[in-house]
Amino acid sequence: LRAAVIADSFVGVLWPERSTQQSTMWLMRQFQICTTSLLDNHMLERCRNGTMSLGEVWMEAMEMFPQVSFATITSKVDNVQIMFEQAFEITSTLSLPGLMMTPAQFYTGVNRYLEAYHGHFNFMSFLVDGSQHTFLDQECFYTATPLGAEIASASQPLLMNW
């Protein structure tokens, strides 16, 4: 029996990068993550000290469960993830730069996260050009390639076969 964890259209990009830690800690306090048993002792200490990142939680899970495959499916400029981050930043930390995050800045953040995750042998990603949000529950699951959600190409892998 093999297990897999698939993040469909969630990367967790926080913007601007210089205030990522402030945004992360706001989330951790809101959801009381630093007081739960969801994290191991090392990560709990980092959470309480305000030095933990969202990406580290994901990577810690990859390390703790090497027999599990972890995957991310996302669009390069996922419009819902961008709007969520903009709304989150203005309502949580009152960050005007976060509210103004552009698709290009989002894509930069996605690449930074994916680059870090690809350092783990049990991680893989499927990155789709465009702004599509979610794939597994959509018709485009059958047509998506790296070129786009509705752009099938004989030279590109289909998401459904990945």
Side-chain angles (χ1 to χ4, degrees), residues 135-136 138-145 149 152 158-160:
F135 293 89
L136 296 179
Q138 304 292 321
E139 292 277 330
C140 64
F141 172 75
Y142 302 99
T143 59
T145 71
L158 284 170
L159 174 57
M160 72 173 192

Side-chain angles (χ1 to χ4, degrees), residues 25 34-36 41 43-51:
M25 293 323 302
C34 302
T35 60
T36 69
N41 289 336
M43 291 300 280
L44 269 176
E45 182 178 332
R46 296 203 56 205
C47 188
R48 291 177 183 138
N49 292 338
T51 58

Side-chain angles (χ1 to χ4, degrees), residues 98-159:
L99 173 66
M100 305 304 289
M101 179 180 69
T102 66
Q105 291 166 328
F106 174 79
Y107 183 48
T108 296
V110 166
N111 280 319
R112 289 205 172 114
Y113 275 99
L114 295 182
E115 184 178 325
Y117 298 160
H118 276 288
H120 296 81
F121 74 93
N122 56 340
F123 176 79
M124 61 185 119
S125 62
F126 198 95
L127 189 58
V128 179
D129 197 14
S131 61
Q132 174 70 34
H133 181 70
T134 71
F135 293 89
L136 296 179
D137 63 340
Q138 304 292 321
E139 292 277 330
C140 64
F141 172 75
Y142 302 99
T143 59
T145 71
L147 299 176
E150 309 274 339
I151 304 175
S153 168
S155 65
Q156 298 291 315
L158 284 170
L159 174 57

Side-chain angles (χ1 to χ4, degrees), residues 2-21:
R2 184 147 170 117
V5 176
I6 303 171
D8 181 7
S9 299
F10 177 78
V11 178
V13 173
L14 299 173
W15 195 265
E17 291 181 332
R18 69 180 177 278
S19 62
T20 296
Q21 204 59 49

